[in-house]
C-alpha cells in the first residue's frame, strides 16, 4: 500500500530513524539481538540516527517541501512564489 503524501513530508524523530536502521540491519541478515544501549554498535547507531534526523528535518525536508505550495514555508515559500508564479510574497 502506498504511503500518504503528507506522511512523506513529515519530520522524523531520532527514534524513528533508529527503528528504521535496525529494521534494515535485520532485513540484510544481521543479528541485532545483542544491540542494547551502552554497546558500541548502539552508540554508533544512536549518533548516526540523531544526525540523519537532524539533517532530514533541518535541510532536506524544507527543500522537498519547497516544491509544493501547500507545504512550503518561510524563505522556501518566497522562492517558490518568485520562481513559479513570478510574484513577490507580501505579508510574511
Amino acid at each position: 500500500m502506498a504511503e500518504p503524501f503528507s506522511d512523506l513530508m513529515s519530520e522524523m524523530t531520532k527514534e524513528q530513524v533508529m527503528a528504521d536502521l535496525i529494521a534494515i540491519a535485520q532485513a540484510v541478515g544481521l543479528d541485532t539481538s545483542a544491540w542494547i544501549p551502552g554497546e558500541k554498535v548502539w552508540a554508533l547507531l544512536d549518533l548516526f540516527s540523531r544526525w540523519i534526523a537532524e539533517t532530514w528535518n533541518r535541510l532536506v525536508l524544507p527543500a522537498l517541501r519547497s516544491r509544493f505550495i501547500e507545504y512550503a514555508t518561510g524563505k522556501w515559500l518566497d522562492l517558490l512564489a518568485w520562481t513559479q508564479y513570478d510574484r513577490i510574497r507580501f505579508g510574511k
Side-chain angles (χ1 to χ4, degrees), residues 14-15 18-19 21-22 26 32-50:
K14 177 185 76 85
E15 291 77 18
M18 178 71 93
L21 289 174
I22 291 172
Q26 290 171 342
T32 60
S33 60
W35 295 359
I36 58 172
E39 293 289 325
K40 292 177 184 176
V41 173
W42 190 269
L44 183 61
L45 286 176
D46 184 61
L47 179 68
F48 189 66
S49 63
R50 187 180 313 259

Side-chain angles (χ1 to χ4, degrees), residues 36-72:
I36 58 172
E39 293 289 325
K40 292 177 184 176
V41 173
W42 190 269
L44 183 61
L45 286 176
D46 184 61
L47 179 68
F48 189 66
S49 63
R50 187 180 313 259
W51 179 77
I52 289 291
E54 193 173 302
T55 302
W56 174 261
N57 294 336
R58 195 170 41 94
L59 299 173
V60 177
L61 189 58
L64 288 175
R65 286 178 175 169
S66 73
R67 299 304 301 153
F68 305 96
I69 193 85
E70 299 86 13
Y71 295 99

